[in-house]
Amino acid sequence: MSVPLDIAALGARAAAMIEELGAISESPDHLTRFFLTPQHRRAADLVGRWMREAGLDVSEDAVGTVRGHWHPAGADAPRLLIGSHIDTVGNAGKYDGAMGVILGILALDTIRAAGVTRPFGIDVLAFGDEEGTRFPSTLSASAAAAGIFSPATLAMRDADGISYHDALIAYGKNPDDIPAAAYDPSKVIAYIEAHIEQGPVLEAEGEPLGVVTAIAGATRLSVTVTGEAGHAGTVPMRMRHDALLGAAEMALAVERIAKADRHGMVATVGRMHIDPGSINVIPSRVVFTVDLRSGSDMSRREALERFEREAHRIADLRHLGVVISAFHEVGTVPCFRDLQLRLRNAIADLGHSSVSMASGAGHDGQAMSKLCPIGMLFVRCRGGISHNPAEYASPEDMGLAAAALVRFIERFKLPQIGDATGGVQT
Ligand code: GLV
Ligand code: MN
Ligand code: MN
């Protein structure tokens, strides 16, 4: 017998929860919720309360990930992990990350309410550092759960100079406990994440749900260009060493390189800091970021080499210095084929076809793939708009996604993937 599903009610609950979580922000005017801030604390408390109300046991790990445990087969039984993140970019939408956590809670609530048990456990995870918007530490919370947290992360600093290490302590955590946050790979079956698509494909296809085939690899660079400060009124144009003009040319080179790529490469210069930042002083130092992504790791690597050559050529011509360092690097991650099939079957059970698609956005699944097979479910996004307050998924689509998770969980059979240690990765 299948778990009874009221998709409209699930969608309405998801929408109400999205609003409640989306109201927790550093500003009443827009949604900004960074890692290890008071807003993170309040969001984690709310998610913990929801998990408890859904009948889950709640714990929190050493980097603040909220974990809701459902262990009908005992704490030692292998477990499925379902998660996403509750941090946001600045001036964010309400769905990116939050929706995946909420849908996981609703799916488990529905399953428990139906009195169904499974021969495995499920943990719902609410990670706090997917975006890398406070520290340049993207995916650090899922990295801790996956056992790949890099100790160098602790030295990273936010815009106010506060280190990750000190922020953790102020949040009430002990950095020495981070290794214990790692799951034992032999106890984990798979990681599943539902997420708003953040692109226009599902809307164009007229389908509410998609199944992710792979997550594009990404590199994030910090580029420091140094020139010489000088008086804006006295130094002739030909005698200047303007760091900003060199940086601007390098940013255009990034665009040119990405546009010339044939694997759908995208590259963004999203942050630029100009020193001394004065209207009448020639810029002496510029630090900017490059976020470069591609479905082909080889083309991403080639593009990085080309950018490095271009940046040095531009710097030499302008008599500037340039230093390039990568602070985030993750290869293309395939989603496990068996999980893709099971997600497609769950969607078909609800009378819908699913679209198979790659993800250009980054996700906690990239870090979790180092622990276990991963699968991802995408939910249609209005206008393809994300990282923007206009981001929106309809209650109907969210209800369907929660229902698909329920069907996925109730039909999930251990033997096919139970020996996930070997994991027949695609
Ligand atoms: C996360 O949202 C990313 O892809 O930047
Ligand atoms: Mn995001
Ligand atoms: Mn996200």
Short mmCIF file of all heavy atoms in Angstrom, two decimals, residues 85 89 96 130-131 195 198 362 386-387, ligand 2:
data_model
loop_
_atom_site.label_atom_id
_atom_site.label_comp_id
_atom_site.label_asym_id
_atom_site.label_seq_id
_atom_site.Cartn_x
_atom_site.Cartn_y
_atom_site.Cartn_z
N HIS A 85 20.73 23.43 2.25
CA HIS A 85 21.37 24.42 3.11
C HIS A 85 20.42 25.54 3.52
O HIS A 85 19.44 25.82 2.83
CB HIS A 85 22.58 25.02 2.39
CG HIS A 85 22.22 25.71 1.09
ND1 HIS A 85 22.06 27.08 1.00
CD2 HIS A 85 22.00 25.23 -0.15
CE1 HIS A 85 21.77 27.38 -0.26
NE2 HIS A 85 21.72 26.29 -0.98
N VAL A 89 22.78 33.71 -0.16
CA VAL A 89 23.60 34.81 -0.68
C VAL A 89 23.03 36.11 -0.13
O VAL A 89 21.99 36.10 0.53
CB VAL A 89 23.61 34.82 -2.24
CG1 VAL A 89 24.30 33.60 -2.79
CG2 VAL A 89 22.21 34.95 -2.82
N ASP A 96 16.23 28.85 -2.49
CA ASP A 96 17.55 28.24 -2.69
C ASP A 96 18.03 27.65 -1.36
O ASP A 96 18.31 28.40 -0.42
CB ASP A 96 18.50 29.33 -3.20
CG ASP A 96 19.94 28.87 -3.38
OD1 ASP A 96 20.22 27.69 -3.11
OD2 ASP A 96 20.77 29.70 -3.77
N GLU A 130 26.76 26.58 2.39
CA GLU A 130 26.84 26.12 1.01
C GLU A 130 27.31 27.24 0.09
O GLU A 130 28.06 27.03 -0.86
CB GLU A 130 25.47 25.61 0.54
CG GLU A 130 25.49 24.96 -0.84
CD GLU A 130 25.03 25.88 -1.95
OE1 GLU A 130 24.84 27.09 -1.71
OE2 GLU A 130 24.85 25.41 -3.07
N GLU A 131 26.86 28.46 0.38
CA GLU A 131 27.08 29.55 -0.56
C GLU A 131 28.50 30.10 -0.52
O GLU A 131 28.97 30.65 -1.50
CB GLU A 131 26.09 30.69 -0.29
CG GLU A 131 24.61 30.29 -0.35
CD GLU A 131 24.12 30.13 -1.78
OE1 GLU A 131 24.94 30.17 -2.70
OE2 GLU A 131 22.91 29.94 -1.96
N HIS A 195 16.13 20.63 -4.76
CA HIS A 195 16.59 22.02 -4.86
C HIS A 195 15.82 22.73 -5.96
O HIS A 195 15.47 22.10 -6.96
CB HIS A 195 18.10 22.03 -5.19
CG HIS A 195 18.80 23.29 -4.80
ND1 HIS A 195 18.69 24.45 -5.53
CD2 HIS A 195 19.61 23.58 -3.75
CE1 HIS A 195 19.41 25.39 -4.95
NE2 HIS A 195 19.98 24.90 -3.87
N GLN A 198 16.87 26.83 -10.34
CA GLN A 198 17.70 28.04 -10.50
C GLN A 198 18.01 28.35 -11.96
O GLN A 198 18.94 29.09 -12.26
CB GLN A 198 19.02 27.94 -9.71
CG GLN A 198 18.82 27.62 -8.24
CD GLN A 198 20.11 27.59 -7.45
OE1 GLN A 198 20.79 26.57 -7.41
NE2 GLN A 198 20.45 28.68 -6.80
N GLY A 362 26.19 25.14 -7.98
CA GLY A 362 26.87 24.26 -7.04
C GLY A 362 25.91 23.79 -5.96
O GLY A 362 24.91 24.47 -5.66
N SER A 386 17.13 33.07 -9.93
CA SER A 386 17.61 32.63 -8.61
C SER A 386 18.73 33.56 -8.15
O SER A 386 19.22 34.36 -8.93
CB SER A 386 18.11 31.19 -8.70
OG SER A 386 18.48 30.73 -7.42
N HIS A 387 19.13 33.42 -6.88
CA HIS A 387 20.07 34.37 -6.27
C HIS A 387 19.51 35.78 -6.48
O HIS A 387 20.23 36.71 -6.85
CB HIS A 387 21.49 34.23 -6.86
CG HIS A 387 22.21 33.04 -6.31
ND1 HIS A 387 23.52 32.77 -6.58
CD2 HIS A 387 21.81 32.07 -5.47
CE1 HIS A 387 23.91 31.67 -5.95
NE2 HIS A 387 22.87 31.22 -5.27
MN MN B 2 22.76 29.49 -4.00
#
